[in-house]
Amino acid sequence: MLTPEPRTAVNRAALALTGLALAAGGVWTATGHAAFAARLPGWWPRPPAGGFLVQEGALTALRTRGWWTPAVVTVGVLATAFLAWCFLRQFPRRGRSRLALAAPGSVLRVEALERALAQRVSSVEGVDRCRVRIHGPRRKPRLRMRVLLAAGTPPGAVLDALHAVTAEAQGVMAPCVLRSRVRLGQRARRSRHVR
């Protein structure tokens, strides 16, 4: 079963919030013009006539207050840390190298399971090569398979076998909930050259 990536929702939410903030800032800046100012509700902030939204005197008065500089630095550091965290979340993370299984005291090496699944899928007729990666949180790991089909093999011919392998992997990793994603590709046929 294919499931959407969690970071897709984070990306969309971050883009939506950034877009809303930029749109609000643009509307706020654009409505400083007298033609728009007359149509605004009473609570909307307005720059003084012929001036800027933040006057130079008001900005100087803010800088003399003791809380202004630490507040600006703190907001800058927090915004930078948040954006760096969002950037680092874009890269896939490897989970733990060992997973605890249902039987007491039993553990499973993730790399061994990846190799076993890759060999199992590669032995399916019509599959040329397979690469398997298991990553993500400990309780809900994600299984990614990249399967390269032999030339001329239709994808439908291997889907049942791939489903059986992912179901087998889910049984091995119980009680963890395994989410699977399979990407199929095909080796191109080599055309004969005539001399």
Side-chain angles (χ1 to χ4, degrees):
M1 178 179 175
L2 295 177
T3 56
E5 292 289 324
R7 65 175 175 247
T8 302
V10 173
N11 285 346
R12 290 180 181 166
L15 285 173
L17 291 174
T18 304
L20 286 173
L22 290 175
V27 168
W28 190 22
T29 304
T31 54
H33 193 271
F36 296 106
R39 293 185 230 153
L40 290 175
W43 53 267
W44 193 266
R46 289 185 179 86
F52 298 102
L53 191 60
V54 179
Q55 295 296 324
E56 188 176 340
L59 190 57
T60 305
L62 279 174
R63 288 180 180 159
T64 59
R65 298 186 187 254
W67 57 267
W68 175 253
T69 303
V72 169
V73 170
T74 303
V75 168
V77 167
L78 290 175
T80 303
F82 175 73
L83 292 174
W85 176 77
C86 288
F87 174 72
L88 292 174
R89 292 277 300 159
Q90 302 307 306
F91 299 103
R93 295 176 297 152
R94 294 285 291 179
R96 293 184 169 188
S97 61
R98 296 175 188 268
L99 290 173
L101 297 178
S106 61
V107 292
L108 172 67
R109 279 193 25 223
V110 174
E111 293 82 9
L113 179 61
E114 289 173 346
R115 283 195 303 270
L117 291 174
Q119 287 175 355
R120 181 112 155 75
V121 172
S122 296
S123 68
V124 172
E125 186 177 345
V127 173
D128 187 39
R129 232 182 0 217
C130 177
R131 194 175 103 192
V132 176
R133 291 287 176 254
I134 298 172
H135 59 88
R138 187 175 59 149
R139 286 287 169 197
K140 293 184 180 179
R142 291 187 294 275
L143 167 70
R144 287 190 179 192
M145 276 196 280
R146 291 184 183 218
V147 181
L148 184 64
L149 301 176
T153 304
V158 297
L159 287 180
D160 287 340
L162 294 178
H163 179 68
V165 170
T166 56
E168 197 174 300
Q170 172 61 56
V172 168
M173 296 186 72
C176 299
V177 177
L178 184 67
R179 295 174 293 170
S180 304
R181 181 176 183 177
V182 179
R183 180 176 285 175
L184 297 174
Q186 189 148 26
R187 183 178 289 283
R189 288 184 179 176
R190 291 188 179 187
S191 58
R192 294 182 179 179
H193 295 282
V194 179
R195 291 185 183 210

